[in-house]
Amino acid sequence: MLGTRELEINLGPQHPSTHGVLRVKLKLDGETIVESDPVIGYLHRGCEKLGENRNYIQTEVYTDRMDYIAAINENLVYIEAVEKLLGVEAAPRAQYMRVILAELQRIASHLVWLATHALDIGAMSVFLYCFREREAILDLIEGYCGARLTTNAIRAGGMRLDFPDGWTGAAKDFCDEFPARLKEYDTLLKTNRIWMGRTKDIGVISGEKALSYGITGPCLRASGVNYDVRKAMPYEVYSEMEFDVPLGSVGDTYDRYLVRLEEMRQSRLIVLQALAKMPEGPVMNKVPKRIKPPAGEVYVVNEGPRGELGVYLVSNGTDTAERCRFKSPCFVNLQALPELAKGHMVADIVALIGTLDIVLGCIDR
Amino acid sequence: MKEQLIQYLAVPMLQIAAIIGVMLLCVMYLVLWERKLIAFMQVRMGPMRVGYHGLLQPIADVVKLLLKEDVVPKAADRWVHLISPIILMIPALACFAVIPFTGTSFEVGAFTIPLVNYDVPALTVTSWVADLNIGLLYFLAISSLGVYGLVLAGWSSNSKYSMLGSLRSAAQMISYEVPLGLSIVAILMLSGTASLVGIVEAQQEAGHWWLFWAPLGVPLLWPQFIGLFLYFVAAVAETNRAPFDLPEAETELVAGFHTEYSGMKFAFMFLAEYLNMILAALIVSVLFLGGWLPVTFGIPGLSELFGNFLPFLGGAGAAITGFFWLALKVFLVLTVYLWLRATFPRYRYDQLMSLGWKWLIPMGLAHVMVTALFMLLRG
Amino acid sequence: MATTEPPEENGSVEQAPTSAALDRLLAAMPDAVVESEFQRGAPIARVAPARLLEVMTFLRDDPACRFELLSDLCGMDLGMVRPDGERFDVVYHLYSVEHSHVLTVKTAVADGTDAPSVTGIWLTANWHEREAFDMFGIGFAGHPDLRRILMPDEFDAFPLRKDFPLEGREKDHGYWRQPGDDDRYTYVAEPPEKK
């Protein structure tokens, strides 16, 4: 008897387009995906366990290593949790500095997303253009804290140091130059028929379903749900910033592309506003050398480039946490991959992995 | 007897050796040009370390590939695995036999080979190995044999990625043969011959390249632009180049059909791909861009001047000039090839198929009809 | 579970925190909520595992609550804090996009017993519950596919439990640990010789 069998194929853990060590078990019928099962954990380093065994200051170092594309956002949410646990606030100038750095980091992270997403779909030049701009941001971040990726830049109570001389000018220069660069990407992609063919109606998810899957960040907003932590529960000085939250309507890969590009423009506006409004003054409030928060617990979320970053800290009154939980938006978003990929073709799965914007360090922790 | 032996055996052998040698060199430097050009488009440097601005990089690459370990997967079919790069390579090289590189023949006087004291009679050496009256058909037939190499390579590797890659390439190459053939039909009708030499000569007689054939006498109404477009798109797909590089889509299938190849076998596949690119560019130049004919911008006086840069060399000068013009056209066509790669994302498999069957083939058929109609109207 | 309130800050009088969602839950299902409190201003409700699904469905569907988003679900080992009670807590952090309010729900689970799975209410709970199972060994009754997610399938311990050593056990992942240079460990395939 003649018959057809489903082809089982392992995409990863060593594969050019899985953005790290992700493995997806695919069942194919010809080129159509019947079933997909993401296998994660190859990068599991036990950050939560370490967080329970190191003191609060030492743990911040591990937050860099989780979402290494957007380390400042990870630092920020962790430090916010510690501050809330301690009952201290950051110095006013430091709050603006945090917003500036976090938004620059968001732009850098979105640039990496666009670069790799485009490369996965075959647009090679966009990759290098995006990395050129990201380089400029990493130079800024390096200029502030000396590190490019593992920044460890933020301290409970404020910032360790003020911006060095000339830094704000350089940041402004970058913001002035950036819109022209964004236009270049749009020229290459936005109305490119192949790009539209590859992204339109690929991986459509409704807002309701996306919420049920717990998807947050640009992926959720592309499905039309207006949930941005910066607007919904403003932290730092986001309540003083004016910016729009771009929303999609269809919830496909193309919408997610448009939403992220618009977010970069908005982030640039936030940086400019924060630079203009930033008050003079000290950057650090008085915080005890040894952080020993009273017993209690906090769950703090903020808006990372990939979605809602959460930190759940339970203190038992000593200088190490009783429980240190990191909620990763990538982990949650990746969970929807089988749902998004069903019925699409093999080529689409790389587009989908790209559009979910996952970082394996963030997923596996 | 002796003259015939030399004319039909020794000279073609030397021609073949020369073509293979020159073409391999061309491939090496085409790769370098690709890397440099794309690097320029992507605001980076490209190879800079080996030689002045990386000029010796191709040689280093060849040495590297030669010295690399040849890894054959345990589960692979060893013989087929070995043979498929060769199957890919041979048709790519064989096609060069019918390409006219320049119009004028070289006259070689009688001379004696020293040491062995062998007398060679006077000869006329053409720039093509063979001027077949079915040259174009020969090209179409032989070049489509290469797909067997791809399919066998994918199948014999016994890897799922390779298999998917070769399945894609089989479907793709068969689909795009059709528009490729259709785009050429109009040229056949215009030239009245399938000999590639004849086609260029027909363009010389007509006084314009077929690309600029204006049946209604109206400038810019050149129906063969559609032919060129069709041929070019189909040729890009046939050679598996971006944006149609699905069989080796590195972000989906790792490397597609050559995932399990390394060392010299991989180099063969690589060579075949670039040889096919050069071949496609040569055919475009010969069919549409007037082969070795000079660029005259429609000014009659210029053809004298541009026809022979080196008048003091006589016939040889004209031959070298013709070769120069052909090389220039090929270079420009290849540059467009590379430009596409730097610009476009990749098609998806089903989109590629629908582009081929739903757009290019109807366009090709319409193109043939329109050309025939125009020819009929002109009598 | 320690519930000390934070110290008063700079003498300013803090307003007592309120939560409409918590009030609504307490009004609608007073018997289901074992205990409720505010921690650093955030409402927390403790629910018995038997009533959890009921409460969660109510919280998602009630128009005054509308917790469409399960922001996070995690386990917690309270073996040291609560030596006599149930060993684990499962913590649910809920968020409502419509009302923009939050609620934390906790339920206590003893070692070896299952918590009810909320995958039927929020699809996102699937992987979170797998992770809690993987890290703490908390079972979830009604979970469609409860297997390890971050640790390898053949791993036979639960690393986030407090009794799991930070540096790992003597033999993990098929390798034996051996003290090496600079206070670091090396890992070898053969069991080290006992001295």
Side-chain angles (χ1 to χ4, degrees):
Chain A
M1 277 287 280
L2 280 173
T4 55
R5 257 192 323 166
E6 281 164 4
L7 177 68
E8 215 169 293
I9 196 166
N10 258 319
L11 199 80
Q14 284 94 27
H15 187 279
S17 66
T18 52
H19 299 207
V21 277
L22 167 70
R23 172 172 153 223
V24 186
K25 282 197 273 185
L26 292 176
K27 269 200 187 131
L28 302 180
D29 176 13
E31 288 237 356
T32 314
I33 296 160
V34 181
E35 210 182 293
S36 54
D37 180 20
V39 181
I40 58 174
Y42 293 94
L43 214 56
H44 179 61
R45 294 148 295 177
C47 286
E48 293 181 7
K49 185 86 177 172
L50 288 163
E52 289 169 18
N53 286 277
R54 299 272 180 269
N55 68 36
Y56 288 100
I57 297 170
Q58 288 169 331
T59 305
E60 192 195 343
V61 181
Y62 297 109
T63 62
D64 293 333
R65 271 88 181 157
M66 286 192 297
D67 187 350
Y68 44 79
I69 304 290
I72 287 180
N73 299 81
E74 287 269 9
N75 294 160
L76 181 58
V77 65
Y78 175 74
I79 289 300
E80 270 180 14
V82 174
E83 281 174 354
K84 207 167 167 192
L85 210 52
L86 266 175
V88 298
E89 275 220 332
R93 184 177 170 85
Q95 296 203 11
Y96 281 90
M97 290 171 70
R98 288 176 179 187
V99 168
I100 292 167
L101 286 172
E103 291 306 315
L104 282 175
Q105 182 79 82
R106 184 188 315 279
I107 296 176
S109 169
H110 279 0
L111 283 171
V112 174
W113 157 78
L114 180 60
T116 49
H117 185 37
L119 186 68
D120 286 348
I121 297 185
M124 190 168 51
S125 297
V126 179
F127 174 78
L128 286 138
Y129 295 154
C130 287
F131 267 71
R132 174 186 57 187
E133 267 70 81
R134 175 176 182 250
E135 203 60 26
I137 296 180
L138 290 190
D139 284 346
L140 283 175
I141 291 173
E142 187 187 7
Y144 172 60
C145 64
R148 295 156 65 81
L149 290 176
T150 50
T151 51
N152 200 16
I154 300 169
R155 296 287 179 276
M159 306 293 276
R160 174 123 167 68
L161 294 167
D162 204 339
F163 287 136
D165 291 339
W167 194 92
T168 47
K172 220 173 246 152
D173 287 346
F174 170 79
C175 290
D176 291 340
E177 203 177 306
F178 191 54
R181 300 300 168 88
L182 273 175
K183 217 169 186 171
E184 274 179 31
Y185 314 144
D186 266 2
T187 328
L188 272 169
L189 297 178
K190 194 173 182 181
T191 49
N192 184 321
R193 291 198 68 85
I194 305 180
W195 177 261
M196 285 165 87
R198 287 299 303 275
T199 53
K200 277 210 162 174
D201 294 324
I202 301 297
V204 181
I205 189 161
S206 69
E208 208 171 301
K209 195 121 196 197
L211 268 178
S212 178
Y213 265 113
I215 294 176
T216 45
C219 295
L220 179 68
R221 293 193 282 276
S223 297
V225 179
N226 189 352
Y227 172 46
D228 186 324
V229 186
R230 291 173 295 175
K231 284 271 189 204
M233 296 181 274
Y235 49 96
E236 306 299 341
V237 284
Y238 278 110
S239 49
E240 292 168 32
M241 303 292 157
E242 265 176 52
F243 64 100
D244 295 331
V245 178
L247 293 181
S249 49
V250 187
D252 58 2
T253 302
Y254 188 66
D255 270 7
R256 290 188 275 270
Y257 160 78
L258 292 180
V259 164
R260 285 202 180 93
L261 274 203
E262 185 54 36
E263 256 178 37
M264 281 197 254
R265 294 193 183 95
Q266 298 297 335
S267 290
R268 170 188 161 266
L269 288 180
I270 298 174
V271 173
L272 283 175
Q273 287 175 51
L275 280 171
K277 287 184 183 171
M278 187 162 59
E280 292 297 321
V283 293
M284 192 74 180
N285 271 348
K286 232 179 149 49
V287 170
K289 270 246 165 65
R290 245 182 112 187
I291 295 183
K292 244 172 131 177
E297 62 177 75
V298 285
Y299 179 64
V300 171
V301 292
N302 74 21
E303 185 70 28
R306 277 150 254 282
E308 187 193 74
L309 286 165
V311 170
Y312 178 51
L313 282 179
V314 181
S315 160
N316 52 10
T318 64
D319 61 357
T320 45
E322 176 73 20
R323 175 85 170 98
C324 174
R325 157 82 179 166
F326 299 108
K327 183 251 175 168
S328 141
C330 309
F331 179 86
V332 177
N333 293 1
L334 180 66
Q335 191 180 176
L337 182 69
E339 168 85 18
L340 295 178
K342 205 177 271 174
H344 285 310
M345 311 197 80
V346 189
D348 292 328
I349 195 140
V350 298
L352 288 172
I353 292 175
T355 188
L356 288 175
D357 192 15
I358 52 171
V359 169
L360 268 293
C362 185
I363 290 175
D364 293 342
R365 286 155 303 182
Chain B
M1 184 62 198
K2 184 180 156 192
E3 271 116 60
Q4 280 168 343
L5 259 182
I6 288 173
Q7 185 74 45
Y8 293 113
L9 203 64
V11 171
M13 283 297 189
L14 287 172
Q15 282 177 320
I16 290 168
I19 286 176
I20 291 182
V22 170
M23 280 307 146
L24 294 190
L25 205 69
C26 283
V27 167
M28 280 159 63
Y29 278 89
L30 173 59
V31 175
L32 182 67
W33 171 236
E34 171 173 28
R35 292 174 66 177
K36 278 290 186 190
L37 181 76
I38 292 185
F40 167 72
M41 290 175 177
Q42 295 172 342
V43 274
R44 55 194 176 91
M45 305 287 266
M48 291 293 283
R49 291 298 170 108
V50 193
Y52 177 72
H53 278 249
L55 272 179
L56 297 178
Q57 182 71 39
I59 294 161
D61 284 347
V62 168
V63 171
K64 178 199 79 176
L65 284 167
L66 278 170
L67 296 179
K68 252 190 167 176
E69 186 190 355
D70 176 38
V71 183
V72 183
K74 231 183 200 163
D77 191 324
R78 291 193 72 91
W79 282 108
V80 185
H81 192 261
L82 173 71
I83 244 171
S84 39
I86 302 170
I87 298 180
L88 259 170
M89 186 79 168
I90 287 174
L93 282 173
C95 284
F96 283 99
V98 291
I99 305 285
F101 290 99
T102 180
T104 326
S105 324
F106 295 89
E107 303 291 344
V108 182
F111 64 96
T112 311
I113 300 175
L115 295 177
V116 289
N117 284 328
Y118 188 83
D119 294 318
V120 181
L123 288 170
T124 310
V125 182
T126 55
S127 71
W128 48 86
V129 180
D131 176 19
L132 299 181
N133 56 357
I134 51 156
L136 206 48
L137 290 180
Y138 168 86
F139 160 73
L140 285 177
I142 299 290
S143 68
S144 52
L145 283 179
V147 70
Y148 289 106
L150 295 193
V151 174
L152 289 176
W155 177 77
S156 66
S157 300
N158 207 349
S159 146
K160 286 167 183 171
Y161 287 115
S162 306
M163 188 70 202
L164 276 175
S166 64
L167 285 177
R168 281 180 178 190
S169 70
Q172 178 177 335
M173 295 190 67
I174 290 163
S175 307
Y176 279 76
E177 283 287 297
V178 185
L180 190 82
L182 283 173
S183 64
I184 288 172
V185 172
I187 297 295
L188 282 179
M189 294 194 300
L190 286 172
S191 316
T193 172
S195 149
L196 291 177
V197 181
I199 288 172
V200 181
E201 280 167 359
Q203 294 178 61
Q204 196 164 17
E205 257 170 54
H208 51 69
W209 304 349
W210 287 143
L211 183 64
F212 299 116
W213 178 63
L216 303 179
V218 186
L220 295 176
L221 196 69
W222 294 318
Q224 291 312 319
F225 264 86
I226 295 171
L228 175 69
F229 170 76
L230 282 171
Y231 182 85
F232 192 70
V233 171
V236 173
E238 283 282 297
T239 45
N240 297 330
R241 294 288 302 180
F244 304 106
D245 54 344
L246 302 164
E248 47 191 295
E250 72 269 8
T251 49
E252 297 151 28
L253 304 179
V254 188
F257 62 89
H258 61 64
T259 307
E260 305 291 348
Y261 279 85
S262 58
M264 231 20 231
K265 287 188 204 162
F266 168 73
F268 264 46
M269 298 189 141
F270 200 67
L271 274 177
E273 179 180 329
Y274 281 83
L275 282 175
N276 279 324
M277 272 170 70
I278 295 180
L279 202 60
L282 275 167
I283 296 283
V284 167
S285 312
V286 167
L287 297 189
F288 296 95
L289 306 180
W292 66 77
L293 302 180
V295 180
T296 59
F297 307 105
I299 304 161
L302 278 181
S303 65
E304 276 301 303
L305 185 65
F306 285 180
N308 192 347
F309 288 146
L310 313 161
F312 51 91
L313 285 179
I320 291 168
T321 310
F323 185 75
F324 164 78
W325 286 118
L326 184 72
L328 184 70
K329 290 165 190 173
V330 168
F331 175 75
L332 291 178
V333 176
L334 283 173
T335 302
V336 177
Y337 243 106
L338 306 179
W339 186 9
L340 288 181
R341 183 173 167 212
T343 311
F344 284 116
R346 187 180 298 113
Y347 267 106
R348 201 173 58 210
Y349 178 67
D350 56 326
Q351 291 166 344
L352 176 92
M353 285 293 140
S354 78
L355 178 76
W357 290 98
K358 290 188 193 156
W359 292 96
L360 294 187
I361 292 178
M363 256 170 90
L365 286 169
H367 173 62
V368 171
M369 303 293 260
V370 168
T371 308
L373 201 70
F374 279 139
M375 287 178 71
L376 206 68
L377 284 177
R378 291 228 319 187
Chain C
M1 168 97 228
T3 54
T4 327
E5 285 299 311
E8 282 174 34
E9 285 161 34
N10 312 333
S12 68
V13 185
E14 288 254 332
Q15 254 188 318
T18 56
S19 162
L22 186 59
D23 292 346
R24 173 86 185 107
L25 177 66
L26 286 171
M29 301 174 137
D31 51 333
V33 181
V34 180
E35 185 190 339
S36 71
E37 57 173 331
F38 285 90
Q39 286 268 1
R40 308 292 197 268
I44 299 172
R46 183 174 287 283
V47 176
R51 302 289 302 274
L52 185 77
L53 284 185
E54 201 185 324
V55 170
M56 288 305 200
T57 316
F58 171 80
L59 286 175
R60 187 193 61 178
D61 294 336
D62 184 71
C65 297
R66 291 292 297 145
F67 288 105
E68 311 100 325
L69 183 68
L70 173 63
S71 176
D72 191 19
L73 185 164
C74 66
M76 185 170 171
D77 184 359
L78 293 162
M80 313 288 202
V81 186
R82 201 165 59 186
D84 305 324
E86 290 93 340
R87 180 166 182 184
F88 302 110
D89 260 356
V90 182
V91 186
Y92 303 82
H93 297 287
L94 308 181
Y95 178 75
S96 163
V97 175
E98 192 179 322
H99 303 296
S100 187
H101 57 205
V102 295
L103 180 64
T104 302
V105 178
K106 291 185 179 182
T107 188
V109 189
D111 200 357
T113 57
D114 285 359
S117 166
V118 294
T119 42
I121 305 170
W122 295 281
L123 290 168
T124 178
N126 187 333
W127 278 23
H128 281 316
E129 284 175 1
R130 273 176 70 186
E131 192 188 346
F133 166 74
D134 193 4
M135 292 295 146
F136 295 97
I138 303 170
F140 289 91
H143 189 283
D145 181 26
L146 197 63
R147 57 197 160 96
R148 287 192 176 273
I149 185 163
L150 291 176
M151 302 303 285
D153 289 341
E154 65 278 3
F155 199 73
D156 59 356
F158 301 105
L160 270 184
R161 289 189 176 191
K162 290 285 178 192
D163 51 12
F164 189 88
L166 178 66
E167 64 273 24
R169 294 166 300 174
E170 216 169 310
K171 184 186 181 221
D172 262 329
H173 307 290
Y175 287 90
W176 295 82
R177 194 177 70 212
Q178 237 181 359
D181 312 333
D182 320 333
D183 294 336
R184 288 169 189 230
Y185 290 117
T186 55
Y187 293 87
V188 289
E190 296 297 314
E193 284 169 36
K194 288 273 180 319
K195 275 172 193 161

